[in-house]
Amino acid sequence: MKIAVVGGGPGGLYFAILMKQTDRAHEITVFERNRPDDTFGFGVVFSDATIAQVEEADPHTYRSITKHFFHWDDIDVHFRGELLNTTGHGFSGMSRQLLLDVLREQAEAFGVEIRYETEVGTLSELSDFDLVVGADGLNSTVRQERENAFAPRTDLRPNRFVWLGTTRRFPAFTFDFRENEHGLWRVHAYQYRKPEEVAEGEPISTFIVECTEEAWHRAGLDTATEEETIAFCGALFSDLLGGHPLIANRSVWRQFPTLTCGRWWDGNVVLLGDAVHTAHFSVGSGTRMAMLDAIALRDALAAGPISEALPRYEAERRPQVESLQRAAEASLQWFEDTERYMELPPLQFTFALLTRSLRITHEDIRLRDPDFLRRVDGAFAKSAERQVGASPTDSRGSGAPTSPPAFTPFRLRELVLPNRIVVSPMCQYCADDGMPNDWHLVHLGSRAIGGAGLLWTEMTDVSLEGRISPGCAGIYQDAHVGGWKRIVDFVHRESEAKIGMQLGHAGRKGSTQRMWEGDSEPLPEGGWEVVSASPIPYFPHSPVPREMSRAEMDDVRDEYTRATERALEAGFDLLEIHMAHGYLLASFISPLTNTRDDEYGGSLENRMRYPLEIFHAVRGAWPEERPLSVRVSAVDWKPGGMEPEDAVEVARMLHAAGCDVIDVSAGQTVPDQRPRYGRLFQTPFSDRIRHEVGIATMAVGGISSYTDVNTILAAGRADLCLLARAHLWNPYWSRHAAHALDHPVNWPPQYSSLDRYNPRF
């Protein structure tokens, strides 16, 4: 095969090596626009896990690279005058130039032709090659020539950063956060060369300084020369540098571009590395991604012809890259928003930093540094003790509160939850004219016995016309009180759990079939008229809702009030008002569903007017000592809709009105939303609202493991964690989590025989 590789960076060179190892007969030419010694940056970073993949694919190159590694296990965090250290993380640094030299020598030894200082003008110049690999970086000419095919999208991030070097040795990966009159400055520093490989005065460590756009401007660095940038950063971090100088290397203040492509190949042309995707430097280097791309492309080509190999390469590699890009986005957003976390205690701040990408978890930290995690858990348990005003019981007699975060109590007004695990509201669609039945008793009762600290009913409708489907539960008749009281009494009598009712009105998403009959699809017969903020149907074939009049708004407000009074009579511990997912109140909040031109439309303040009116009515009918929650959609996932910054303002209004906790969900406002799913995909919205508004939050969405729950809580991203499908799958999820964490819990006396067989229960 005759192969052209455009770009002589690590990804392109490594791919050439791998293909030559597969078959020496391949004719491979690498075209590189720069000189061999003309590169940018100082060091690259590999995790132990990444380099293990290189070892498996190519042991020879692995040995050639790793003999130059500087390896570290520790991370040092300088924060508010404290130095916090944690170990067991496993990374290696290496000079980018040295890496290129090693790969070039390997490639040339295999017979790869490398043409330096050679620019490929157009792909037509490479028409006699069977395969063209675009490995020419972020500004890829290959991608640009086929832009319509590759469909690139670039998100230029707001923070500014400058990439420097220093002669100061950093034996641990070092973060430093410090404020001056201009703003907050972040340092990412690590050693990438061994002392014996460095001549006097040469850089041995990378030193990246990052700040917000505002701080950059206020400090005058937007007009600074390279020398002035070095002088500013050197003076600001003089104590950290310990007298060592900073060294320039094209030290321009940059913004990080997150690049994605709709397609990775076109005909016989394929992209890899930064030419097709980028991931923020705070989760590692683009170098490692490019080298793993090279392995995946080599494997795909070894398995079949080019026409089959290139689609296979993208299909197999894209999910891994997109997962890493999601993690990188979470990480870069954490650094963009670090100002939000400056009031955290140093220990919790460090834990939040370590877990910022949502890929490193509480249990990962336990494996890496159990002593550090014990400190984190101990501090969290003491904080919980102060918050509830009583010491958590430790039946193991250690003399200190050592409960994992998930099993610490939490107070809302006068209500104390026994733990932070919550059964999310989940519609069951099996009520008869709104009346809960035996199914609801078993559904909620089994999960109460299963150990959750709080149970939510499904969205319980305040009127007959407010139902989603004919099978939805309600509390719009006095007769419903007894049905719900039966369930509430069982939960209180047979478990330690608390139980809350979620009140809602379906609005334009009402009069539909049960979920398993056709999700959000209108009833073929027997439907009822629906109302909404504006006459916009959910689907084009859905009924057009009637725009609510002021009189109808009064009627619905009164229905919420009566429903609240009935919920109190039934004995519920707390209430939640559903203002999310495109239902009636949410339809007022979102500009996608509210096009009114009266005082209830237009600005966010106007759009919140009616939902706040409902909130005040419910709060006025609900006892002061009992908490009230609101579920919101933090983003509509459609242009022109609600964005996370809007959700912050919604939460701020609700907090001012007396809301105790925000249940932070997302989307489901419109059917053509474009959500970005993944692990803990809604947690960042909870995190933002909690810290920017100063209100307790509940996180929901993609939470499935106890380590997720512990991570979210310990990092301060939420106060409670809601699980839905995990609780459907396993009603005893909470007890199994306690068992796995070696945390004792009280079992019902009917099950007390378990203690004889395993005292850890």
Side-chain angles (χ1 to χ4, degrees), residues 621-659:
W622 190 241
E624 183 178 351
E625 69 275 8
R626 300 196 192 192
L628 185 56
S629 168
V630 173
R631 171 167 277 199
V632 301
S633 285
V635 63
D636 284 337
W637 277 314
K638 182 178 179 179
M642 291 290 289
E643 296 292 343
E645 56 269 24
D646 301 317
V648 169
E649 294 308 311
V650 167
R652 192 168 278 127
M653 294 181 208
L654 290 167
H655 186 34
C659 181

Side-chain angles (χ1 to χ4, degrees), residues 218-502:
R218 284 194 293 264
L221 294 173
D222 52 332
T223 59
T225 64
E226 189 172 53
E227 291 75 17
E228 289 169 337
T229 286
I230 288 175
F232 177 89
C233 295
L236 181 61
F237 293 99
S238 59
D239 57 330
L240 182 64
L241 291 165
H244 289 265
L246 290 174
I247 299 170
N249 178 30
R250 306 180 190 176
S251 304
V252 178
W253 288 91
R254 296 178 170 88
Q255 294 169 272
F256 188 85
T258 298
L259 171 70
T260 58
C261 283
R263 187 173 176 181
W264 291 18
W265 62 276
D266 181 48
N268 70 332
V269 179
V270 64
L271 303 177
L272 64 77
D274 283 352
V276 67
H277 50 63
T278 59
H280 193 250
F281 55 82
S282 63
V283 297
S285 68
T287 298
R288 65 162 178 160
M289 292 179 68
M291 293 179 70
L292 296 183
D293 285 352
I295 294 171
L297 182 55
R298 185 276 310 269
D299 291 345
L301 289 164
I306 291 173
S307 60
E308 297 175 4
L310 302 190
R312 184 184 303 113
Y313 156 68
E314 178 178 348
E316 294 180 0
R317 181 71 178 136
R318 179 188 280 276
Q320 302 168 40
V321 167
E322 290 181 344
S323 176
L324 182 58
Q325 285 187 306
R326 286 193 297 269
E329 182 177 5
S331 178
L332 71 85
Q333 285 181 337
W334 193 91
F335 281 105
E336 288 170 359
D337 300 323
T338 307
E339 286 82 355
R340 182 187 300 162
Y341 308 113
M342 292 301 288
E343 297 306 313
L344 289 177
L347 192 62
Q348 187 175 41
F349 179 91
T350 301
F351 183 84
L353 167 66
L354 295 176
T355 60
R356 66 193 179 278
S357 71
L358 308 182
R359 286 165 66 107
I360 304 300
T361 69
H362 186 270
E363 288 304 296
D364 291 325
I365 302 299
R366 186 192 306 280
L367 292 173
R368 298 178 182 194
D369 193 343
D371 290 338
F372 176 79
L373 190 69
R374 275 192 288 271
R375 292 173 59 201
V376 170
D377 285 356
F380 191 91
K382 288 179 181 177
S383 176
E385 174 186 343
R386 291 191 297 270
Q387 199 263 345
V388 303
S391 177
T393 300
D394 184 355
S395 63
R396 289 165 290 189
S398 66
T402 56
S403 300
F407 291 96
T408 59
F410 186 69
R411 176 185 292 275
L412 289 166
R413 296 197 181 218
E414 297 304 310
L415 180 69
V416 176
L417 305 177
N419 62 59
R420 312 289 185 108
I421 302 167
V422 183
V423 176
S424 190
M426 293 175 280
C427 290
Q428 302 298 294
Y429 303 104
C430 62
D432 183 10
D433 191 15
M435 179 66 76
N437 53 40
D438 288 350
W439 176 270
H440 299 86
L441 173 65
V442 174
H443 168 67
L444 292 167
S446 61
R447 283 149 185 86
I449 295 172
L454 172 63
L455 319 171
W456 284 115
T457 68
E458 61 195 272
M459 186 176 93
T460 308
D461 301 309
V462 299
S463 68
L464 184 69
E465 297 78 13
R467 294 173 300 164
I468 302 170
S469 78
C472 286
I475 194 161
Y476 48 83
Q477 296 178 8
D478 291 341
H480 292 152
V481 172
W484 285 115
K485 182 172 173 52
R486 174 179 176 233
I487 295 169
V488 172
D489 289 348
F490 177 89
V491 170
H492 287 161
R493 183 177 64 249
E494 304 295 349
S495 77
E496 298 177 351
K498 308 302 179 182
I499 183 168
M501 171 168 277
Q502 186 188 69

Side-chain angles (χ1 to χ4, degrees), residues 93-244:
M94 184 179 181
S95 161
R96 177 179 170 84
Q97 182 63 62
L98 184 54
L99 175 62
L100 287 171
D101 291 343
V102 169
L103 293 175
R104 184 186 72 247
E105 292 172 6
Q106 293 274 94
E108 289 176 341
F110 278 111
V112 175
E113 181 182 358
I114 307 176
R115 299 182 188 177
Y116 287 104
E117 299 181 77
T118 302
E119 191 83 48
V120 175
T122 65
L123 291 175
S124 62
E125 299 172 22
L126 306 176
S127 59
D128 58 335
F129 286 89
D130 302 308
L131 175 67
V132 177
V133 179
D136 49 342
L138 179 65
N139 298 315
S140 169
T141 57
V142 175
R143 185 189 68 243
Q144 291 169 10
E145 184 169 337
R146 298 279 182 93
E147 186 166 341
N148 289 338
F150 293 124
R153 298 180 301 278
T154 302
D155 176 20
L156 196 63
R157 304 303 304 185
N159 268 17
R160 295 281 176 167
F161 69 94
V162 62
W163 201 290
L164 304 167
T166 179
T167 57
R168 162 81 156 90
R169 293 184 60 185
F170 288 102
F173 198 108
T174 301
F175 294 102
D176 193 308
F177 302 85
R178 63 181 64 189
E179 294 175 290
N180 66 4
E181 66 274 20
H182 307 302
L184 176 65
W185 306 82
R186 306 96 159 127
V187 161
H188 315 240
Y190 58 90
Q191 188 169 328
Y192 64 88
R193 299 170 82 181
K194 298 177 181 178
E196 61 270 21
E197 295 179 336
V198 185
E200 186 175 351
E202 289 185 344
I204 195 169
S205 298
T206 289
F207 196 88
I208 303 170
V209 182
E210 182 183 1
C211 64
T212 64
E213 180 96 358
E214 293 75 19
W216 180 66
H217 279 293
R218 284 194 293 264
L221 294 173
D222 52 332
T223 59
T225 64
E226 189 172 53
E227 291 75 17
E228 289 169 337
T229 286
I230 288 175
F232 177 89
C233 295
L236 181 61
F237 293 99
S238 59
D239 57 330
L240 182 64
L241 291 165
H244 289 265

Side-chain angles (χ1 to χ4, degrees), residues 457-745:
T457 68
E458 61 195 272
M459 186 176 93
T460 308
D461 301 309
V462 299
S463 68
L464 184 69
E465 297 78 13
R467 294 173 300 164
I468 302 170
S469 78
C472 286
I475 194 161
Y476 48 83
Q477 296 178 8
D478 291 341
H480 292 152
V481 172
W484 285 115
K485 182 172 173 52
R486 174 179 176 233
I487 295 169
V488 172
D489 289 348
F490 177 89
V491 170
H492 287 161
R493 183 177 64 249
E494 304 295 349
S495 77
E496 298 177 351
K498 308 302 179 182
I499 183 168
M501 171 168 277
Q502 186 188 69
L503 297 177
H505 188 298
R508 72 174 189 154
K509 294 178 75 176
S511 191
T512 66
Q513 301 176 54
R514 293 171 175 85
M515 181 180 62
W516 54 84
E517 296 170 339
D519 191 13
S520 298
E521 291 291 337
L523 288 167
E525 57 183 26
W528 53 90
E529 191 173 9
V530 294
V531 297
S532 188
S534 298
I536 305 171
Y538 184 69
F539 291 125
H541 58 277
S542 297
V544 176
R546 187 176 66 253
E547 180 172 295
M548 289 185 78
S549 66
R550 180 62 254 188
E552 289 173 315
M553 292 162 71
D554 290 343
D555 290 342
V556 171
R557 179 200 59 207
D558 294 343
E559 289 167 349
Y560 269 95
T561 301
R562 288 192 293 271
T564 300
E565 293 166 348
R566 293 185 183 109
L568 178 62
E569 186 180 351
F572 283 97
D573 299 301
L574 69 167
L575 286 184
E576 176 166 284
I577 304 174
H578 203 324
M579 296 188 185
H581 298 173
Y583 296 123
L584 180 63
L585 299 182
S587 74
F588 275 86
I589 299 172
S590 174
L592 297 177
T593 50
N594 184 344
T595 57
R596 301 173 73 105
D597 58 7
D598 60 6
E599 65 268 35
Y600 300 100
S603 68
L604 179 59
E605 184 178 9
N606 280 359
R607 301 197 310 271
M608 278 295 294
R609 192 185 300 271
Y610 185 57
L612 283 171
E613 184 178 326
I614 296 295
F615 180 90
H616 286 297
V618 172
R619 181 72 271 179
W622 190 241
E624 183 178 351
E625 69 275 8
R626 300 196 192 192
L628 185 56
S629 168
V630 173
R631 171 167 277 199
V632 301
S633 285
V635 63
D636 284 337
W637 277 314
K638 182 178 179 179
M642 291 290 289
E643 296 292 343
E645 56 269 24
D646 301 317
V648 169
E649 294 308 311
V650 167
R652 192 168 278 127
M653 294 181 208
L654 290 167
H655 186 34
C659 181
D660 300 294
V661 57
I662 301 292
D663 179 355
V664 187
S665 188
Q668 303 181 53
T669 304
V670 292
D672 55 341
Q673 65 177 5
R674 296 293 297 274
R676 297 189 65 187
Y677 294 123
R679 286 186 67 256
L680 315 183
F681 67 105
Q682 292 174 171
T683 299
F685 307 135
S686 165
D687 186 347
R688 180 172 183 174
I689 288 172
R690 184 178 189 269
H691 288 285
E692 292 193 13
V693 179
I695 188 172
T697 62
M698 295 187 280
V700 62
I703 303 171
S704 60
S705 70
Y706 62 81
T707 191
D708 289 339
V709 174
N710 283 331
T711 306
I712 292 167
L713 297 172
R717 298 183 178 108
D719 299 279
L720 301 166
C721 287
L722 278 66
L723 290 85
R725 290 177 178 85
H727 271 134
L728 288 181
W729 176 257
N730 180 4
Y732 287 76
W733 187 96
S734 300
R735 292 195 180 277
H736 288 150
H739 175 66
L741 290 165
D742 196 21
H743 177 75
V745 293

